[in-house]
Amino acid sequence: MATKILLPIDHTDDQSWKKALPVALEQAKFYGAELEVISVIPEIILLPNLPANYGAGAKDHVTGVLRQILDSNGAKDTTVHVEEGSVYREILKFAHAGGFDMIIMASAKGDFPNYEIGPNLARVVRNAHCSVMIIRA
Amino acid sequence: MEALSNLVGNINGIVWGPAMLILILGVGFFLQVGMKFMPILKLGTGFKLLFKGREATGEGQISPFNALMTSLSATIGTGNIAGVATAVFLGGPGALFWMWMTALVGMATKYAEAVLAVKYREQDELGNFVGGPMYYIKNGLDKKWYFLAPLFAGFGAIAAFGIGNGVQANGVAAVMETTFSIPTYATGIILMVLTAAVILGGISRIGSVAGKLVPFMAIAYIIAGLLVLLINIGTLGSAVSLVFTHAFTPSAAEGGFAGAAVWMAIRFGVARGVFSNEAGLGSAPIAHAAASTAGPVNQGLIAMLGTFIDTIIVCSITGLAIIASGAWTSGESGAALTSLAFETSLPGIGAYLIAISLSIFAFTTILGWSFYGEKCVGFFFGAKALMPYRVLWIIAIYFGATADLGFIWLLADTLNAMMAIPNLIALALLSPMVFKLTREFFASNGATEGSTLAD
């Protein structure tokens, strides 16, 4: 049972949504749950030799890319959130604060018997307050 | 260590041979001639643009004044204080003349670098502008020259540890030890913590505070330097004549000075000049590419002012202060020599001023170069390699602070030459584009980039 599902996506990696997005949409439909998407970008660090507005448009840029992915894959009404910082920490924080009760996340590509669970996914699985569904790539 | 020193020394002898000096000065001179000495003639226009741009800024745009300040904060570093001193110590007073030469032709080089960086930049996965030599090689040149791009990025990523990290940390540690008796390992640890706070902890505030301090420290340094020259006004004339005579005749040993052949004056003058103003290295265009600017030529005009201010103004003051005060025959080298020159003329404040301004310059340079290094690594591996690189960057600071000065400079010099070679070849090959953009810009009085030049 789920009422709010969170799907973390990396906008530079197709593998993070190609299989996971259809599954997430299916699950949301099945439970009648709400589906939201999160993407975490590295923190923009302003160094003294960079212009003061460096990286100011990053969130909008990533939101735009994600919107395009979602719109063209049948997820037009899905809300997109872009956070800055450490990937797993931001996912966990956001899932907890937003009262999500399921996280759906794609794994990296691996081969039997070593299915690759990356460091971010591993930490999300280990520390999430809710169920985590892993979609094998 | 001994064997490593020898090996680096041998490589250094090859990469800093006559061919390299001809490449640096030759490409710069070729660009100057190709632009009919525009960079020198339009210096006034550059400054006008700079101050006009303080108010008039478009939407989402950084004023040219801020753009220059940001690029200066990475360019003004230990090179201006310790580097000049090392050049005079090893190459004699004539080295200063050859430093000026690198700046005069370097203005054209820097201009061309910034023009091309903006012209051929790309957007990364976060929508930020990225550019620099590896991108103008990739996007501007024929496929058969593509190998220069990874060559530059590879050497750049390694060279950053020398010029942008080890030498800077070493300079701060040395001057802190001589002035305040702080042991080098303590300075190393403090620098590591501060840098980690910015590039790992994301506490940008520390970096931006330091960046804002740079112009003030530069002005304080220039004023103090002028005071030193004023106090030594009696010997200033002979100091200037020493610079010109020993540019072409060998200087004899004197006091603690070992004497230097003309070749040494050229070699160290050019090496330290390039080290200080970074024209031809290909580092600064990485930052210029990030700027939101009206266009390539606008950015180029601002970039070349950086070279002028860095070398013709700041380095000259250091060099002349060292020569006019007589400190150059003392046998001291590096920051200690500059410190001695300032302290003998301005007792009680001179050494402190050097220690503090050098520390701030060096710190902002370490931060600035971490960005250059990251972009070079990012060219190969994308954003995923940034964290390991940053951790290495911070570890290297400690080793830089505690290592031997001579070896660190030697290593940095060698790596600088290696990153300069692919960049200079690319600049020569892309020069027609630079000339074309420049011609169109000035023929249309700036209209090609939507601005008007009032001269």
Side-chain angles (χ1 to χ4, degrees):
Chain A
M1 186 65 206
T3 57
K4 265 184 108 179
I5 301 175
L6 184 62
L7 172 70
I9 288 183
D10 175 356
H11 75 290
T12 61
D13 184 8
D14 287 358
Q15 234 178 60
S16 70
W17 57 268
K18 271 264 152 78
K19 278 174 105 174
L21 179 61
V23 175
L25 284 169
E26 220 169 85
Q27 292 286 324
K29 201 172 157 197
F30 181 73
Y31 289 120
E34 230 177 282
L35 176 65
E36 294 185 19
V37 164
I38 183 176
S39 189
V40 185
I41 59 172
E43 206 165 351
I44 307 265
I45 293 171
L46 259 194
L47 296 169
N49 57 337
L50 293 176
N53 68 350
Y54 183 74
K59 277 194 177 183
D60 290 340
H61 176 84
V62 174
T63 310
V65 175
L66 287 172
R67 197 70 265 168
Q68 226 170 349
I69 293 174
L70 294 173
D71 288 357
S72 52
N73 287 281
K76 270 198 178 3
D77 343 303
T78 312
T79 325
V80 169
H81 306 273
V82 177
E83 298 294 327
E84 252 181 59
S86 145
V87 176
Y88 72 94
R89 217 176 281 148
E90 292 305 317
I91 294 173
L92 290 169
K93 252 194 338 210
F94 192 82
H96 189 258
F100 287 87
D101 42 21
M102 181 185 262
I103 298 173
I104 297 182
M105 212 170 153
S107 76
K109 208 173 184 76
D111 208 353
F112 182 81
N114 292 314
Y115 289 109
E116 188 67 42
I117 299 269
N120 283 308
L121 177 54
R123 286 187 172 110
V124 169
V125 170
R126 200 177 300 135
N127 300 307
H129 74 285
C130 60
S131 308
V132 180
M133 186 183 213
I134 300 171
I135 311 300
R136 289 295 183 202
Chain B
M1 194 65 200
E2 184 68 34
L4 185 65
S5 246
N6 285 339
L7 176 71
V8 176
N10 286 339
I11 300 173
N12 189 284
I14 301 166
V15 293
W16 273 107
M20 179 65 197
L21 300 180
I22 290 167
L23 195 61
I24 288 182
L25 296 175
V27 169
F29 188 68
F30 169 68
L31 291 167
Q32 277 288 17
V33 172
M35 289 186 275
K36 303 189 185 69
F37 298 94
M38 181 285 290
I40 294 171
L41 298 173
K42 293 284 179 187
L43 198 62
T45 315
F47 277 105
K48 224 183 269 172
L49 205 77
L50 190 63
F51 288 101
K52 203 176 69 177
R54 287 186 78 163
E55 306 102 45
T57 48
E59 196 189 340
Q61 201 156 305
I62 298 300
S63 71
F65 183 77
N66 273 339
L68 178 69
M69 284 307 141
T70 50
S71 85
L72 266 186
S73 67
T75 311
I76 297 190
T78 49
N80 300 78
I81 298 176
V84 181
T86 321
V88 173
F89 174 72
L90 293 169
L96 191 58
F97 175 86
W98 293 103
M99 273 184 129
W100 290 335
M101 291 305 110
T102 64
L104 286 184
V105 301
M107 283 172 65
T109 317
K110 197 71 151 280
Y111 169 86
E113 286 180 339
V115 166
L116 293 170
V118 173
K119 168 86 184 157
Y120 292 112
R121 64 187 175 182
E122 300 179 354
Q123 273 189 311
D124 68 4
E125 64 266 40
L126 296 179
N128 297 320
F129 285 121
V130 285
M134 53 283 196
Y135 292 95
Y136 53 71
I137 292 167
K138 184 178 135 199
N139 300 332
L141 284 175
D142 196 77
K143 278 222 157 37
K144 68 173 184 233
W145 294 104
Y146 179 77
F147 72 96
L148 290 172
L151 213 58
F152 173 84
F155 285 131
I158 308 169
F161 283 101
I163 181 174
N165 186 317
V167 171
Q168 310 293 338
N170 196 291
V172 178
V175 81
M176 281 293 162
E177 192 179 31
T178 48
T179 316
F180 300 107
S181 313
I182 300 172
T184 52
Y185 71 84
T187 310
I189 290 168
I190 294 168
L191 270 179
M192 274 171 82
V193 170
L194 285 175
T195 311
V198 179
I199 69 173
L200 288 181
I203 308 173
S204 308
R205 184 165 289 270
I206 299 176
S208 61
V209 167
K212 291 209 171 72
L213 282 175
V214 166
F216 293 105
M217 287 315 296
I219 290 165
Y221 182 76
I222 290 170
I223 292 171
L226 290 175
L227 272 177
V228 172
L229 295 182
L230 205 64
I231 289 165
N232 297 297
I233 194 96
T235 48
L236 188 59
S238 59
V240 174
S241 91
L242 273 179
V243 170
F244 283 97
T245 37
H246 290 308
F248 305 100
T249 53
S251 20
E254 197 180 334
F257 175 65
V262 175
W263 167 243
M264 297 288 271
I266 300 175
R267 150 117 183 46
F268 288 103
V270 173
R272 289 291 162 275
V274 170
F275 189 93
S276 174
N277 59 43
E278 294 177 16
L281 269 195
S283 52
I286 300 175
H288 286 295
S292 38
T293 170
V297 176
N298 268 292
Q299 195 62 30
L301 287 171
I302 290 155
M304 74 185 194
L305 293 183
T307 307
F308 180 82
I309 295 173
D310 178 277
T311 308
I312 305 285
I313 299 178
V314 185
C315 284
S316 300
I317 286 175
T318 309
L320 289 174
I322 289 170
I323 302 164
S325 66
W328 68 285
T329 55
S330 65
E332 288 283 359
S333 174
L337 176 53
T338 315
S339 194
L340 182 72
F342 276 60
E343 187 62 27
T344 47
S345 308
L346 302 167
I349 45 168
Y352 294 136
L353 184 84
I354 297 291
I356 294 166
S357 44
L358 184 104
S359 304
I360 290 173
F361 292 161
F363 178 57
T364 54
T365 307
I366 290 176
L367 293 178
W369 266 90
S370 77
F371 180 75
Y372 299 154
E374 272 182 33
K375 288 292 159 230
C376 288
V377 172
F379 180 75
F380 294 108
F381 305 110
K384 290 187 178 74
L386 295 191
M387 264 308 153
Y389 191 79
R390 286 179 186 171
V391 172
L392 272 180
W393 189 255
I394 286 159
I395 296 170
I397 292 174
Y398 183 81
F399 290 102
T402 52
D404 164 54
L405 177 80
F407 178 69
I408 287 280
W409 276 107
L410 188 70
L411 188 66
D413 245 10
T414 311
L415 293 168
N416 279 351
M418 292 172 121
M419 73 185 280
I421 293 167
N423 180 47
L424 289 167
I425 296 172
L427 286 179
L429 293 169
L430 284 165
S431 56
M433 178 49 93
V434 178
F435 299 154
K436 181 174 160 270
L437 288 172
T438 309
R439 227 176 17 243
E440 285 171 1
F441 181 85
F442 286 104
S444 67
N445 206 19
T448 46
E449 294 181 4
S451 63
T452 44
L453 291 176
D455 18 9

